[in-house]
Amino acid sequence: TNKMDNGVASALRVSQLDASELDHEVVQLTKSQVSLLFKYHQNAFLTYFDPEIQASIKLLLWKFALYDSGSTIGQQILGIHYGYSNGANIGAAITGREKTLYGLLVVLAPWLKDRISTLLFYLGLSSVDKQVHWLLQQAETILKVAALMNVLVFLKKVYTLQLWSVFLA
């Protein structure tokens, strides 16, 4: 591991990338286990409620991993955690506010993206559905470009892999 000036070890780039990949795999593995639970039920149930199932899995993993211990499951496996890499609080754990905002970004945002048309329909706002989808596509494109830029900066300097942590810091 790399040592910083104050003696706090920073996570290697490979470890951060591996932790992110492990987190994704844990969600997919859990989802496949849930699918096995409903193996003999109608497939339409799982298809229709997929966004809710995915959000529920992410919410449970967020609560019992990141919120309670300060690191995701992938980070726990690799022995690393979220912390500040610059400023006066180098190595300090992220705050409860940042954990909550992370939960909103990781759990609520994808669910909302999948269910926005349904929500607009039930709110009687179906007429603005196309405009909302266009705005969401534009926002998603901007976030993808920002995430790419962040990864390039991450590869050049060991700052942070996740774009959300740049905005929350």
Side-chain angles (χ1 to χ4, degrees), residues 11-85:
L12 295 174
R13 293 179 204 158
V14 173
S15 296
Q16 292 180 42
L17 291 168
D18 287 345
S20 179
E21 188 63 30
L22 283 170
D23 292 336
H24 177 72
E25 291 299 321
V26 167
V27 170
Q28 294 307 313
L29 179 64
T30 307
K31 187 177 174 185
S32 69
Q33 293 300 311
V34 169
S35 295
L36 288 176
L37 287 172
F38 294 99
K39 184 165 99 174
Y40 299 109
H41 288 81
Q42 295 177 350
N43 287 340
F45 174 80
L46 285 177
T47 304
Y48 183 75
F49 289 107
D50 185 61
E52 286 75 21
I53 292 169
Q54 189 93 350
S56 299
I57 291 168
K58 288 180 179 179
L59 180 66
L60 288 171
L61 293 174
W62 167 80
K63 166 62 175 112
F64 293 115
L66 180 67
Y67 195 80
D68 289 347
S69 70
S71 58
T72 66
I73 290 177
Q75 291 172 331
Q76 289 175 17
I77 291 170
L78 297 174
I80 60 178
H81 70 278
Y82 282 117
Y84 294 101
S85 60

Side-chain angles (χ1 to χ4, degrees), residues 88-155:
N89 296 330
I90 293 177
I94 61 174
T95 65
R97 178 183 152 268
E98 291 168 327
K99 291 175 186 179
T100 302
L101 289 173
Y102 174 84
L104 290 173
L105 288 172
V106 169
V107 177
L108 187 61
W111 176 83
L112 192 59
K113 181 182 174 238
D114 290 339
R115 289 296 189 210
I116 192 70
S117 292
T118 307
L119 290 173
L120 290 173
F121 174 76
Y122 284 121
L123 293 173
L125 299 172
S126 296
S127 60
V128 296
D129 189 39
K130 287 184 180 182
Q131 292 90 349
V132 169
H133 277 285
W134 182 83
L135 286 172
L136 287 176
Q137 285 177 337
Q138 298 306 312
E140 186 175 17
T141 301
I142 290 169
L143 285 174
K144 284 181 180 180
V145 169
L148 175 64
M149 304 273 296
N150 186 61
V151 167
L152 294 174
V153 169
F154 168 76
L155 292 174

